[in-house]
Amino acid sequence: QLAESGGGSVQAGGSLRLSCVASGYTYYSVNCLAWFRQVPGKEREAVATIDIDGTAQYTDSVQGRFTISRDNAKTTLYLQMDSLKPEDTGMYYCAAARKKKAIMSPDWYSYWGQGTQVTVSS
């Protein structure tokens, strides 16, 4: 199971830190992790991914503002979001897959959390 937390409402330019705790069978089965976001009427898009070795990749719109990290000892995935913009608003989901290499496609991931809402006002 994956459980996200840390969402909320913030003004543009502010920061939020999302967390995703993996538990049970999920943690021991996964290698790569990712954060996705979705707004009503649009497809779920990848924000950032991280491989088992810590290699990270980001979608262009968040490069330099967001940082993905993982703490394997705490079975937790993080997303530090700085300099937030209104277009960052959406439901944020963490995802996990057994594959070792992460890619930016939702079809790659087998495990999903319930999501945490992020709202950025101008």
Side-chain angles (χ1 to χ4, degrees), residues 55-77:
T55 301
Q57 56 181 327
Y58 301 90
T59 191
D60 289 346
S61 64
V62 309
Q63 185 76 42
R65 299 188 297 120
F66 290 11
T67 303
I68 189 172
S69 61
R70 63 192 295 171
D71 184 335
N72 291 332
K74 297 182 179 180
T75 69
T76 304
L77 174 70

PDB file of all heavy atoms in Angstrom, residues 55-77:
ATOM      1  N   THR A  55      18.632   7.634  -9.203  1.00  0.00           N
ATOM      2  CA  THR A  55      18.614   8.458 -10.411  1.00  0.00           C
ATOM      3  C   THR A  55      17.226   9.059 -10.599  1.00  0.00           C
ATOM      4  O   THR A  55      16.233   8.332 -10.616  1.00  0.00           O
ATOM      5  CB  THR A  55      18.986   7.627 -11.645  1.00  0.00           C
ATOM      6  OG1 THR A  55      20.291   7.069 -11.460  1.00  0.00           O
ATOM      7  CG2 THR A  55      18.967   8.493 -12.888  1.00  0.00           C
ATOM      8  N   ALA A  56      17.176  10.368 -10.729  1.00  0.00           N
ATOM      9  CA  ALA A  56      15.897  11.068 -10.826  1.00  0.00           C
ATOM     10  C   ALA A  56      15.731  11.713 -12.193  1.00  0.00           C
ATOM     11  O   ALA A  56      16.706  12.062 -12.855  1.00  0.00           O
ATOM     12  CB  ALA A  56      15.802  12.140  -9.746  1.00  0.00           C
ATOM     13  N   GLN A  57      14.476  11.858 -12.596  1.00  0.00           N
ATOM     14  CA  GLN A  57      14.147  12.626 -13.787  1.00  0.00           C
ATOM     15  C   GLN A  57      12.881  13.402 -13.519  1.00  0.00           C
ATOM     16  O   GLN A  57      12.052  12.994 -12.703  1.00  0.00           O
ATOM     17  CB  GLN A  57      14.014  11.721 -15.013  1.00  0.00           C
ATOM     18  CG  GLN A  57      13.013  10.591 -14.891  1.00  0.00           C
ATOM     19  CD  GLN A  57      12.968   9.746 -16.151  1.00  0.00           C
ATOM     20  OE1 GLN A  57      13.161  10.231 -17.263  1.00  0.00           O
ATOM     21  NE2 GLN A  57      12.707   8.456 -15.991  1.00  0.00           N
ATOM     22  N   TYR A  58      12.745  14.533 -14.227  1.00  0.00           N
ATOM     23  CA  TYR A  58      11.659  15.452 -13.989  1.00  0.00           C
ATOM     24  C   TYR A  58      11.016  15.879 -15.308  1.00  0.00           C
ATOM     25  O   TYR A  58      11.691  15.981 -16.330  1.00  0.00           O
ATOM     26  CB  TYR A  58      12.169  16.706 -13.276  1.00  0.00           C
ATOM     27  CG  TYR A  58      12.823  16.428 -11.945  1.00  0.00           C
ATOM     28  CD1 TYR A  58      14.185  16.170 -11.859  1.00  0.00           C
ATOM     29  CD2 TYR A  58      12.079  16.430 -10.775  1.00  0.00           C
ATOM     30  CE1 TYR A  58      14.791  15.909 -10.639  1.00  0.00           C
ATOM     31  CE2 TYR A  58      12.670  16.171  -9.545  1.00  0.00           C
ATOM     32  CZ  TYR A  58      14.024  15.911  -9.490  1.00  0.00           C
ATOM     33  OH  TYR A  58      14.619  15.647  -8.284  1.00  0.00           O
ATOM     34  N   THR A  59       9.740  16.178 -15.231  1.00  0.00           N
ATOM     35  CA  THR A  59       9.117  16.781 -16.381  1.00  0.00           C
ATOM     36  C   THR A  59       9.644  18.212 -16.494  1.00  0.00           C
ATOM     37  O   THR A  59      10.022  18.839 -15.488  1.00  0.00           O
ATOM     38  CB  THR A  59       7.587  16.748 -16.259  1.00  0.00           C
ATOM     39  OG1 THR A  59       6.999  17.109 -17.493  1.00  0.00           O
ATOM     40  CG2 THR A  59       7.092  17.690 -15.175  1.00  0.00           C
ATOM     41  N   ASP A  60       9.682  18.745 -17.704  1.00  0.00           N
ATOM     42  CA  ASP A  60      10.325  20.040 -17.947  1.00  0.00           C
ATOM     43  C   ASP A  60       9.741  21.161 -17.088  1.00  0.00           C
ATOM     44  O   ASP A  60      10.465  22.049 -16.627  1.00  0.00           O
ATOM     45  CB  ASP A  60      10.206  20.406 -19.423  1.00  0.00           C
ATOM     46  CG  ASP A  60      11.079  19.541 -20.308  1.00  0.00           C
ATOM     47  OD1 ASP A  60      11.976  18.850 -19.775  1.00  0.00           O
ATOM     48  OD2 ASP A  60      10.860  19.545 -21.536  1.00  0.00           O
ATOM     49  N   SER A  61       8.454  21.134 -16.858  1.00  0.00           N
ATOM     50  CA  SER A  61       7.803  22.251 -16.179  1.00  0.00           C
ATOM     51  C   SER A  61       8.176  22.373 -14.702  1.00  0.00           C
ATOM     52  O   SER A  61       7.941  23.417 -14.099  1.00  0.00           O
ATOM     53  CB  SER A  61       6.282  22.126 -16.313  1.00  0.00           C
ATOM     54  OG  SER A  61       5.818  20.964 -15.665  1.00  0.00           O
ATOM     55  N   VAL A  62       8.740  21.315 -14.117  1.00  0.00           N
ATOM     56  CA  VAL A  62       9.105  21.382 -12.691  1.00  0.00           C
ATOM     57  C   VAL A  62      10.611  21.310 -12.477  1.00  0.00           C
ATOM     58  O   VAL A  62      11.076  21.436 -11.334  1.00  0.00           O
ATOM     59  CB  VAL A  62       8.421  20.267 -11.880  1.00  0.00           C
ATOM     60  CG1 VAL A  62       6.921  20.247 -12.144  1.00  0.00           C
ATOM     61  CG2 VAL A  62       9.029  18.902 -12.166  1.00  0.00           C
ATOM     62  N   GLN A  63      11.352  21.128 -13.554  1.00  0.00           N
ATOM     63  CA  GLN A  63      12.815  21.042 -13.437  1.00  0.00           C
ATOM     64  C   GLN A  63      13.367  22.270 -12.729  1.00  0.00           C
ATOM     65  O   GLN A  63      13.038  23.400 -13.070  1.00  0.00           O
ATOM     66  CB  GLN A  63      13.428  20.912 -14.833  1.00  0.00           C
ATOM     67  CG  GLN A  63      14.913  20.695 -14.849  1.00  0.00           C
ATOM     68  CD  GLN A  63      15.301  19.273 -14.490  1.00  0.00           C
ATOM     69  OE1 GLN A  63      14.685  18.323 -14.931  1.00  0.00           O
ATOM     70  NE2 GLN A  63      16.335  19.134 -13.678  1.00  0.00           N
ATOM     71  N   GLY A  64      14.201  22.035 -11.703  1.00  0.00           N
ATOM     72  CA  GLY A  64      14.791  23.135 -10.963  1.00  0.00           C
ATOM     73  C   GLY A  64      13.939  23.645  -9.812  1.00  0.00           C
ATOM     74  O   GLY A  64      14.419  24.430  -8.985  1.00  0.00           O
ATOM     75  N   ARG A  65      12.695  23.213  -9.741  1.00  0.00           N
ATOM     76  CA  ARG A  65      11.808  23.667  -8.658  1.00  0.00           C
ATOM     77  C   ARG A  65      11.419  22.515  -7.735  1.00  0.00           C
ATOM     78  O   ARG A  65      11.196  22.725  -6.548  1.00  0.00           O
ATOM     79  CB  ARG A  65      10.537  24.290  -9.239  1.00  0.00           C
ATOM     80  CG  ARG A  65      10.773  25.494 -10.113  1.00  0.00           C
ATOM     81  CD  ARG A  65       9.450  26.175 -10.499  1.00  0.00           C
ATOM     82  NE  ARG A  65       8.582  25.311 -11.295  1.00  0.00           N
ATOM     83  CZ  ARG A  65       7.357  24.936 -10.920  1.00  0.00           C
ATOM     84  NH1 ARG A  65       6.866  25.323  -9.759  1.00  0.00           N
ATOM     85  NH2 ARG A  65       6.627  24.160 -11.726  1.00  0.00           N
ATOM     86  N   PHE A  66      11.299  21.324  -8.266  1.00  0.00           N
ATOM     87  CA  PHE A  66      10.896  20.150  -7.490  1.00  0.00           C
ATOM     88  C   PHE A  66      12.083  19.224  -7.317  1.00  0.00           C
ATOM     89  O   PHE A  66      12.946  19.118  -8.194  1.00  0.00           O
ATOM     90  CB  PHE A  66       9.783  19.388  -8.194  1.00  0.00           C
ATOM     91  CG  PHE A  66       8.442  20.076  -8.237  1.00  0.00           C
ATOM     92  CD1 PHE A  66       8.287  21.403  -7.866  1.00  0.00           C
ATOM     93  CD2 PHE A  66       7.324  19.375  -8.649  1.00  0.00           C
ATOM     94  CE1 PHE A  66       7.061  22.019  -7.908  1.00  0.00           C
ATOM     95  CE2 PHE A  66       6.073  19.981  -8.695  1.00  0.00           C
ATOM     96  CZ  PHE A  66       5.952  21.313  -8.326  1.00  0.00           C
ATOM     97  N   THR A  67      12.090  18.517  -6.186  1.00  0.00           N
ATOM     98  CA  THR A  67      13.122  17.525  -5.926  1.00  0.00           C
ATOM     99  C   THR A  67      12.482  16.253  -5.389  1.00  0.00           C
ATOM    100  O   THR A  67      11.783  16.287  -4.376  1.00  0.00           O
ATOM    101  CB  THR A  67      14.145  18.035  -4.906  1.00  0.00           C
ATOM    102  OG1 THR A  67      14.716  19.258  -5.363  1.00  0.00           O
ATOM    103  CG2 THR A  67      15.257  17.004  -4.705  1.00  0.00           C
ATOM    104  N   ILE A  68      12.727  15.151  -6.082  1.00  0.00           N
ATOM    105  CA  ILE A  68      12.228  13.857  -5.627  1.00  0.00           C
ATOM    106  C   ILE A  68      13.347  13.136  -4.888  1.00  0.00           C
ATOM    107  O   ILE A  68      14.518  13.229  -5.262  1.00  0.00           O
ATOM    108  CB  ILE A  68      11.726  13.008  -6.815  1.00  0.00           C
ATOM    109  CG1 ILE A  68      11.006  11.752  -6.322  1.00  0.00           C
ATOM    110  CG2 ILE A  68      12.848  12.674  -7.788  1.00  0.00           C
ATOM    111  CD1 ILE A  68      10.310  10.972  -7.453  1.00  0.00           C
ATOM    112  N   SER A  69      12.998  12.454  -3.822  1.00  0.00           N
ATOM    113  CA  SER A  69      13.994  11.690  -3.071  1.00  0.00           C
ATOM    114  C   SER A  69      13.309  10.506  -2.402  1.00  0.00           C
ATOM    115  O   SER A  69      12.080  10.471  -2.277  1.00  0.00           O
ATOM    116  CB  SER A  69      14.683  12.566  -2.020  1.00  0.00           C
ATOM    117  OG  SER A  69      13.742  13.065  -1.085  1.00  0.00           O
ATOM    118  N   ARG A  70      14.105   9.559  -1.983  1.00  0.00           N
ATOM    119  CA  ARG A  70      13.559   8.376  -1.327  1.00  0.00           C
ATOM    120  C   ARG A  70      14.421   8.022  -0.144  1.00  0.00           C
ATOM    121  O   ARG A  70      15.638   8.187  -0.171  1.00  0.00           O
ATOM    122  CB  ARG A  70      13.458   7.203  -2.308  1.00  0.00           C
ATOM    123  CG  ARG A  70      14.787   6.718  -2.859  1.00  0.00           C
ATOM    124  CD  ARG A  70      14.589   5.762  -4.022  1.00  0.00           C
ATOM    125  NE  ARG A  70      13.925   4.521  -3.635  1.00  0.00           N
ATOM    126  CZ  ARG A  70      13.489   3.618  -4.498  1.00  0.00           C
ATOM    127  NH1 ARG A  70      13.613   3.836  -5.804  1.00  0.00           N
ATOM    128  NH2 ARG A  70      12.916   2.500  -4.087  1.00  0.00           N
ATOM    129  N   ASP A  71      13.786   7.551   0.890  1.00  0.00           N
ATOM    130  CA  ASP A  71      14.471   7.083   2.083  1.00  0.00           C
ATOM    131  C   ASP A  71      14.083   5.625   2.255  1.00  0.00           C
ATOM    132  O   ASP A  71      13.016   5.313   2.791  1.00  0.00           O
ATOM    133  CB  ASP A  71      14.047   7.913   3.296  1.00  0.00           C
ATOM    134  CG  ASP A  71      14.811   7.524   4.553  1.00  0.00           C
ATOM    135  OD1 ASP A  71      15.290   6.376   4.640  1.00  0.00           O
ATOM    136  OD2 ASP A  71      14.907   8.361   5.452  1.00  0.00           O
ATOM    137  N   ASN A  72      14.936   4.755   1.787  1.00  0.00           N
ATOM    138  CA  ASN A  72      14.592   3.337   1.814  1.00  0.00           C
ATOM    139  C   ASN A  72      14.464   2.800   3.237  1.00  0.00           C
ATOM    140  O   ASN A  72      13.687   1.879   3.500  1.00  0.00           O
ATOM    141  CB  ASN A  72      15.614   2.530   1.030  1.00  0.00           C
ATOM    142  CG  ASN A  72      15.536   2.802  -0.463  1.00  0.00           C
ATOM    143  OD1 ASN A  72      14.468   3.143  -0.982  1.00  0.00           O
ATOM    144  ND2 ASN A  72      16.649   2.679  -1.151  1.00  0.00           N
ATOM    145  N   ALA A  73      15.220   3.378   4.152  1.00  0.00           N
ATOM    146  CA  ALA A  73      15.142   2.913   5.542  1.00  0.00           C
ATOM    147  C   ALA A  73      13.772   3.212   6.138  1.00  0.00           C
ATOM    148  O   ALA A  73      13.253   2.453   6.960  1.00  0.00           O
ATOM    149  CB  ALA A  73      16.241   3.562   6.369  1.00  0.00           C
ATOM    150  N   LYS A  74      13.186   4.336   5.716  1.00  0.00           N
ATOM    151  CA  LYS A  74      11.869   4.716   6.223  1.00  0.00           C
ATOM    152  C   LYS A  74      10.756   4.343   5.267  1.00  0.00           C
ATOM    153  O   LYS A  74       9.598   4.673   5.501  1.00  0.00           O
ATOM    154  CB  LYS A  74      11.846   6.222   6.510  1.00  0.00           C
ATOM    155  CG  LYS A  74      12.807   6.667   7.595  1.00  0.00           C
ATOM    156  CD  LYS A  74      12.686   8.167   7.835  1.00  0.00           C
ATOM    157  CE  LYS A  74      13.631   8.616   8.937  1.00  0.00           C
ATOM    158  NZ  LYS A  74      13.522  10.090   9.171  1.00  0.00           N
ATOM    159  N   THR A  75      11.133   3.669   4.166  1.00  0.00           N
ATOM    160  CA  THR A  75      10.167   3.262   3.144  1.00  0.00           C
ATOM    161  C   THR A  75       9.315   4.432   2.690  1.00  0.00           C
ATOM    162  O   THR A  75       8.099   4.308   2.528  1.00  0.00           O
ATOM    163  CB  THR A  75       9.281   2.103   3.630  1.00  0.00           C
ATOM    164  OG1 THR A  75       8.396   2.567   4.656  1.00  0.00           O
ATOM    165  CG2 THR A  75      10.112   0.962   4.160  1.00  0.00           C
ATOM    166  N   THR A  76       9.950   5.580   2.505  1.00  0.00           N
ATOM    167  CA  THR A  76       9.215   6.793   2.190  1.00  0.00           C
ATOM    168  C   THR A  76       9.765   7.476   0.950  1.00  0.00           C
ATOM    169  O   THR A  76      10.974   7.545   0.751  1.00  0.00           O
ATOM    170  CB  THR A  76       9.266   7.770   3.379  1.00  0.00           C
ATOM    171  OG1 THR A  76       8.760   7.119   4.552  1.00  0.00           O
ATOM    172  CG2 THR A  76       8.422   8.999   3.101  1.00  0.00           C
ATOM    173  N   LEU A  77       8.846   7.978   0.146  1.00  0.00           N
ATOM    174  CA  LEU A  77       9.166   8.776  -1.033  1.00  0.00           C
ATOM    175  C   LEU A  77       8.752  10.207  -0.740  1.00  0.00           C
ATOM    176  O   LEU A  77       7.705  10.444  -0.129  1.00  0.00           O
ATOM    177  CB  LEU A  77       8.387   8.249  -2.242  1.00  0.00           C
ATOM    178  CG  LEU A  77       8.481   9.041  -3.539  1.00  0.00           C
ATOM    179  CD1 LEU A  77       9.884   8.907  -4.135  1.00  0.00           C
ATOM    180  CD2 LEU A  77       7.426   8.559  -4.537  1.00  0.00           C
TER     181      LEU A  77
END
